[in-house]
């Protein structure tokens, strides 16, 4: 039956330790013991939501290039929108809880985790970090409730890794701001009621809250795509977009403003990428135990076991890294270069795990009945946005050597 095979879940792959404890088969070093009961309970709640609402439909959504807007209210009810923000109707979850939620969401699909990231870590964080009390009270409660969707307009057609060269410009005319420019690869823009737009001004880079029904604002979906198909990315055109002075985010001046939001999203990616890797690994493991070749299961061959072991090792290392970053973040000690460690390493390893998992599935692995190639395709985007491998390599190179090498 087309798309009829259920995807693997963590619960379907468990083992009993020598001490009688039940442990997920991917968890080689008992990583679960590092989390509190509250953290595990929240993780399991999100995992149940993914199993119930995302897994049954994701192959169809991906194939049809549809984002399932019907699940937004349920995400809001679970407290997934702006989950790490405090006050203003936001859930106020810890960094580790946010990470575990990102892990489970991306085990379903990168596009669904990206929705939560754009809404909470980018659009809502911009208002929470840089907005006035009036802006926070006006927007954040309704965004946490899923009543208002936001997007984050930073990247431009000719300014991806170098946002300092953005061409979008906002000029002041009396009590108004007037914005002209273009943005590209802007997630959720056709779904959004507001856009956080970053523009150059005579006073440097500034951020603005732009209602998407403002005359001159146009969002166009980017199609067709080979990645992130169950998500929405758009081109934006801003032509003489007029805004009141109150649209300015007063706390954001210079590139530090958007970068502080990007770091929130990059942190979540370090967790999410491991979710895609874990799901691919478990799918390949289950398949290898059931698929017979030459009268024995694929799992019984040394070459297959080597692949599975290498995948499991990198997943365990990636989760340990993400957990350490989460503990540092909750302690207020997480440095930007440490976020680059997580984003660079975990995306790079996750995409290799997904590709390797596909090889175990053979020809069946190119169908949407199985998740690894879908995850690998999605990770091509995840690996690129919020800083490419090259950018994070240079961030770390600068940290190690003290010599910036971006130019």
């Amino acid at each position: 039956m087309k798309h009829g095979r259920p995807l693997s879940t963590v619960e379907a792959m468990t083992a009993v330790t020598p001490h009688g404890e039940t442990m997920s088969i991917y968890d080689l070093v008992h990583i679960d013991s590092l989390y509190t009961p509250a953290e595990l309970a929240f993780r399991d709640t999100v995992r149940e939501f993914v199993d119930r609402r995302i897994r049954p439909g994701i192959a169809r959504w991906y194939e049809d290039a549809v984002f399932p807007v019907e699940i937004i209210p349920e995400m809001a009810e679970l407290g997934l929108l702006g989950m790490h923000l405090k006050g203003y109707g936001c859930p106020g979850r810890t960094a580790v809880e946010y990470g575990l939620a990102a892990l489970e969401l991306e085990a379903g699909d990168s596009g669904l985790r990206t929705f939560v990231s754009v809404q909470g870590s980018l659009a809502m964080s911009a208002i929470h970090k840089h907005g006035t009390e009036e802006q926070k009270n006006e927007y954040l409660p309704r965004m946490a409730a899923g009543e208002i969707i936001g997007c984050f307009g930073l990247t431009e057609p000719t300014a991806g890794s170098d946002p300092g060269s953005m061409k979008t410009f906002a000029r002041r005319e009396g009590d108004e701001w007037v914005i002209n420019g273009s943005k590209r690869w802007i997630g959720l823009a056709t779904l959004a009621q507001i856009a956080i737009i970053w523009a150059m001004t005579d006073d440097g880079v500034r951020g603005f809250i732009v209602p998407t029904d403002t005359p001159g604002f146009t969002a166009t979906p980017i199609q067709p795509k080979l990645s992130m198909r169950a998500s929405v990315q758009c081109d934006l055109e801003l032509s003489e977009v007029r805004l009141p002075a109150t649209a300015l985010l007063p706390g954001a001046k210079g590139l530090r403003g958007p970068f502080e939001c990007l770091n929130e999203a990059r942190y979540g990616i370090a967790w999410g990428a491991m979710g895609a890797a874990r799901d691919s690994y478990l799918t390949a493991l289950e398949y290898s135990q059931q698929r017979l070749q030459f009268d024995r299961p694929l799992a019984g061959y040394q070459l297959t076991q080597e692949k599975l072991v290498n995948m499991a090792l990198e997943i365990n290392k990636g989760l340990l890294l993400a957990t350490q970053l989460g503990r540092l973040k909750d302690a207020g000690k997480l440095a930007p270069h440490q976020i680059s460690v997580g984003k660079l390493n975990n995306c790079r390893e996750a995409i290799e795990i997904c590709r390797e998992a596909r090889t175990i599935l053979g020809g069946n692995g190119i169908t949407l009945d199985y998740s690894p190639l879908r995850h690998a395709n999605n990770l091509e985007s995840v690996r690129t946005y919020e800083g490419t491998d090259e950018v994070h390599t240079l961030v770390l190179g600068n940290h190690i050597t003290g010599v910036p090498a971006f130019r």
Side-chain angles (χ1 to χ4, degrees):
M1 182 172 61
K2 190 175 184 181
H3 306 331
R5 180 186 179 277
L7 300 176
S8 298
T9 62
V10 175
E11 287 79 7
M13 290 288 182
T14 59
V16 179
T17 71
H19 303 290
E21 298 172 300
T22 300
M23 188 166 62
S24 298
I25 201 71
Y26 75 90
D27 187 355
L28 301 180
V29 293
H30 206 356
I31 297 172
D32 278 4
S33 67
L34 301 177
Y35 306 127
T36 67
E39 290 166 345
L40 291 172
F42 183 58
R43 180 202 65 183
D44 291 347
T45 297
V46 179
R47 181 179 292 172
E48 187 277 332
F49 167 75
V50 170
D51 284 345
R52 176 173 49 85
R53 293 294 284 123
I54 294 178
R55 292 185 187 279
I58 188 56
R60 174 172 46 83
W61 298 331
Y62 187 93
E63 183 173 40
D64 295 342
V66 170
F67 176 79
V69 294
E70 63 270 19
I71 70 173
I72 294 175
E74 294 180 62
M75 287 183 165
E77 187 175 348
L78 287 176
L80 297 177
L81 306 183
M83 73 183 90
H84 64 300
L85 303 177
K86 293 179 172 59
Y88 310 100
C90 299
R93 293 283 183 177
T94 67
V96 171
E97 288 173 324
Y98 175 88
L100 289 167
L103 174 79
E104 298 303 328
L105 288 168
E106 195 146 352
D109 191 76
S110 300
L112 282 301
R113 198 269 308 151
T114 293
F115 170 79
V116 169
S117 179
V118 171
Q119 176 79 346
S121 294
L122 295 178
M124 292 177 70
S125 280
I127 298 171
H128 195 273
K129 290 175 182 292
H130 306 303
T132 64
E133 284 299 310
E134 291 76 14
Q135 290 168 337
K136 294 174 187 178
N137 284 309
E138 179 178 359
Y139 293 110
L140 292 178
R142 289 190 288 165
M143 294 179 81
E147 298 168 3
I148 292 178
I149 304 304
C151 64
F152 188 87
L154 177 64
T155 300
E156 298 189 354
T158 59
S161 296
D162 182 18
S165 66
M166 72 174 67
K167 304 300 182 185
T168 299
F169 193 85
R171 70 179 189 272
R172 189 72 184 260
E173 287 190 0
D175 292 333
E176 291 184 318
W177 287 96
V178 183
I179 305 180
N180 286 279
S182 301
K183 300 292 182 180
R184 185 162 174 81
W185 296 116
I186 308 306
L188 313 185
T190 53
L191 306 177
Q193 287 76 47
I194 62 168
I196 306 299
I197 297 295
W198 300 95
M200 194 66 71
T201 71
D202 290 332
D203 194 29
V205 174
R206 305 303 299 266
F208 301 87
I209 302 174
V210 181
T212 57
D213 60 359
T214 304
F217 181 98
T218 304
T220 305
I222 297 173
Q223 295 176 333
K225 297 182 298 180
L226 298 175
S227 176
M228 301 290 283
R229 290 179 55 80
S231 184
V232 179
Q233 285 78 38
C234 302
D235 285 317
L236 301 185
E237 290 293 332
L238 298 100
S239 178
E240 292 292 296
V241 172
R242 289 186 172 270
L243 303 168
T246 54
L248 179 73
L249 292 170
K253 187 174 181 179
L255 285 174
R256 181 176 179 178
F259 282 174
E260 287 181 352
C261 303
L262 288 174
N263 278 335
E264 296 288 344
R266 290 164 175 164
Y267 164 76
I269 290 169
W271 288 88
M274 286 294 105
R278 187 195 72 195
D279 187 68
S280 297
Y281 163 76
L282 290 175
T283 298
L285 174 59
E286 181 182 25
Y287 184 91
S288 72
Q289 292 172 327
Q290 297 175 354
R291 175 77 168 185
L292 298 179
Q293 291 291 279
F294 305 105
D295 300 321
R296 65 186 304 186
L298 287 174
Y301 290 96
Q302 292 181 1
L303 291 176
T304 303
Q305 290 191 6
E306 181 185 29
K307 292 178 180 182
L308 293 168
V309 167
N310 288 338
M311 285 189 273
L313 289 174
E314 294 306 324
I315 291 169
N316 277 256
K317 288 189 284 185
L319 287 176
L320 288 169
L321 170 57
T323 301
Q324 171 65 358
L325 297 181
R327 296 298 182 212
L328 288 171
K329 195 172 192 301
D330 279 326
K333 298 178 180 179
L334 184 61
H337 79 273
Q338 294 168 332
I339 299 174
S340 288
V341 172
K343 206 280 185 178
L344 174 62
N345 182 82
N346 286 7
C347 284
R348 187 164 62 188
E349 296 303 326
I351 199 168
E352 292 303 321
I353 289 167
C354 296
R355 290 169 177 166
E356 188 82 320
R358 203 288 310 162
T359 69
I360 294 176
L361 300 172
N364 289 328
I366 71 164
T367 72
L368 280 171
D369 290 336
Y370 299 92
S371 65
L373 190 57
R374 171 172 55 82
H375 285 308
N377 285 350
N378 284 336
L379 286 168
E380 293 288 354
S381 296
V382 178
R383 193 175 185 177
T384 301
Y385 65 50
E386 324 296 14
T388 62
D389 283 14
E390 291 80 3
V391 165
H392 288 294
T393 297
L394 293 176
V395 168
L396 291 170
N398 184 24
H399 175 76
I400 291 168
T401 67
V403 181
F406 289 90
R407 299 186 186 278

